[in-house]
Amino acid sequence: MFGDMMGMMNKIKEAQDNVEKTKERLKTVLIDEQSSDGLLKVTVSAAREVKSIDIADELLEDKEQLEDYLVLTLNKAIAKASDINERELGAAAKDGMPDIPGLGDMFK
């Protein structure tokens, strides 16, 4: 019984380590997104950190238009980053978890 419990504890620790390693790796995965006309380009990491913003000069003339572009483009990039983040972290957590009946349904 204790052997099984120790084995499960080791698997849980391994899963936690895998999740932490995945979180660090996601900081280096970059997602590029741009407005439909290419006047605004943003790069975010899969950890959902904004890495760069490139704004065409013509957008600097209209504050309201620039704000709209930023909101739309950043939201698209963050949505893609969130999808990658959740998928990768879910896989890392699931792969390291011990086989406990019923627990697998939580990761579907």
Side-chain angles (χ1 to χ4, degrees):
M1 178 174 163
F2 286 114
D4 290 342
M5 185 64 105
M6 289 302 292
M8 275 198 279
M9 295 301 288
N10 287 338
K11 285 286 245 178
I12 290 171
K13 175 70 174 126
E14 185 179 311
Q16 289 172 330
D17 290 344
N18 285 341
V19 167
E20 289 305 313
K21 288 176 186 172
T22 301
K23 283 181 182 180
E24 287 301 311
R25 186 178 57 76
L26 289 173
K27 291 179 182 179
T28 66
V29 175
L30 300 179
I31 296 99
D32 295 318
E33 187 62 58
Q34 65 180 4
S35 60
S36 58
D37 57 10
L39 296 178
L40 177 74
K41 298 175 184 173
V42 299
T43 301
V44 298
S45 73
R48 297 177 286 235
E49 298 172 335
V50 177
K51 294 296 186 178
S52 70
I53 299 175
D54 182 31
I55 303 169
D57 289 339
E58 60 195 83
L59 280 179
L60 298 176
E61 298 168 9
D62 186 345
K63 180 180 183 282
E64 189 174 314
Q65 182 182 16
L66 174 57
E67 290 170 346
D68 290 344
Y69 272 57
L70 282 167
V71 168
L72 291 172
T73 308
L74 283 168
N75 281 338
K76 285 194 299 185
I78 291 169
K80 287 180 181 179
S82 292
D83 183 48
I84 292 168
N85 188 292
E86 291 169 15
R87 196 172 47 239
E88 294 289 322
L89 288 177
K94 183 179 178 182
D95 288 344
M97 292 300 287
D99 188 22
I100 299 172
L103 187 63
D105 296 336
M106 291 175 38
F107 295 105
K108 288 185 178 178

